[in-house]
Amino acid sequence: MFQVLASVWALLLGMILIMIGNGMQATLMGVRGAMEGFGTLELSIITSGYFLGFLVGSRIAPELIRRVGHVRVFAALASFISAGLIAFPILTDPISWTLIRVILGFCLSGVYVTAESWLNNAATNQTRGMVLSVYMVAQMMGLIAAQGLMNLGEASGFFLFVIPSILVSLSFAPILLSITPTPASDTTKPMSLIQLYHKSPLASVGTLLLGGAFAAQFGMASVYGAAAGLSVAQITGFVAAIFTGSLVCQIPVGWLSDRMDRRLLILALAAIGTGATAVGFVVGAQYETLLVLAFVVGGVANPLYALFIAYTNDYLEVDDMAAASGGLVFAYGVGAVVGPMATGQVMELTGPKGFWLFLVVVFTAITLYAGWRMTRRPGVPVDETGSYLGVLPTSTAVAVEAAQEWYVEQAEEAAEEEGEA
């Protein structure tokens, strides 16, 4: 294990620093935007700009890497990210912030694609599963740590914008100085949404809806906190609780996923999400309660993403898995672009509680659709299902396909051992 981590420590350290910077700027948008007098709808459009850039960048970045190489792509995107983070407190108008967020989303997706390509090339068949797991944990730890750093300065000044810029700049040093560039791994052309729907209607619809829920949590939680009158410390605690729940609940959900009907688990998690968000809508901004609800909502939303991918695999041939995962990533991205704008519109009409109301609608829709789909066709027997892959919504298609590759290798090794026995 230590040998494996020693070979990728620079990537993991770099990704933690990048995620800290990304997590800080995401929370800062809601807090500083409220101070600048931006409306909820304006902030929701700014948030959606990030996910639009991320969606476009994740599809273009592999081609950029193939044409000019890892190092040049890294260096170019790093300069744009650092400049964008510093520009926020200077260009304080909604249009500028939206454009900057689109650029940041595009650049960060390119960074993730590049890092995940490197990570996949550094891993072997035996270590890929562990490397991916550590990578996912590093991402979440970075997002959680970002919330703590938010309390080191005032959101009204420059300091909190300078920190993520410095961290993102520093993140590239260990990566570029210690890793030999390797050819970018090709990503498979994703399935069309129609093809994906025919393969797995529940996963297609559920992933699309879940994208909206995740984007609302990631981008609009700080907007909600500012609108509800929470202090900066309370807002960062609220956001940190969401990501902590995501990190903690991956293991138990993965364990259950391999031992029961996945449709029933999807139904149960979505129902828990519905109940928790309904409580949030009713109780309002009681901070201690909000922390518990944030932990629960984060704890069901992120594992649901990995669960939808695992459930889709149960109905696919091995050759179709990579394309299907690419389609799911795209569907998730579409939902993530729409989600913040829909949340902002609901909050404009109903006040801060509209944040919870949007999430109630999304989780209820997933619950009802999962229940209906259970009546349409029989489930796959538990002993015939594949392994749960703990990928996160912040990962690109490169990491998802790497996880798929690991899954296929594990299945093939198990089949060989069974044949020899």
Side-chain angles (χ1 to χ4, degrees), residues 90-110:
I90 300 173
L91 305 173
T92 53
D93 65 89
I95 295 177
S96 296
W97 275 26
T98 301
L99 293 175
I100 295 171
R101 288 279 279 175
V102 171
I103 293 170
L104 286 181
F106 180 92
C107 293
L108 282 165
S109 71

Side-chain angles (χ1 to χ4, degrees), residues 224-231 234-235 285 352:
Y224 160 75
L230 300 181
S231 66
Q234 289 175 328
I235 292 172

Side-chain angles (χ1 to χ4, degrees), residues 236-262:
T236 56
F238 177 63
V239 176
I242 294 175
F243 295 122
T244 302
S246 303
L247 180 62
V248 171
C249 294
Q250 282 282 0
I251 294 177
V253 171
W255 186 86
L256 289 171
S257 170
D258 293 337
R259 289 164 175 79
M260 64 182 290
D261 186 336
R262 282 180 171 147

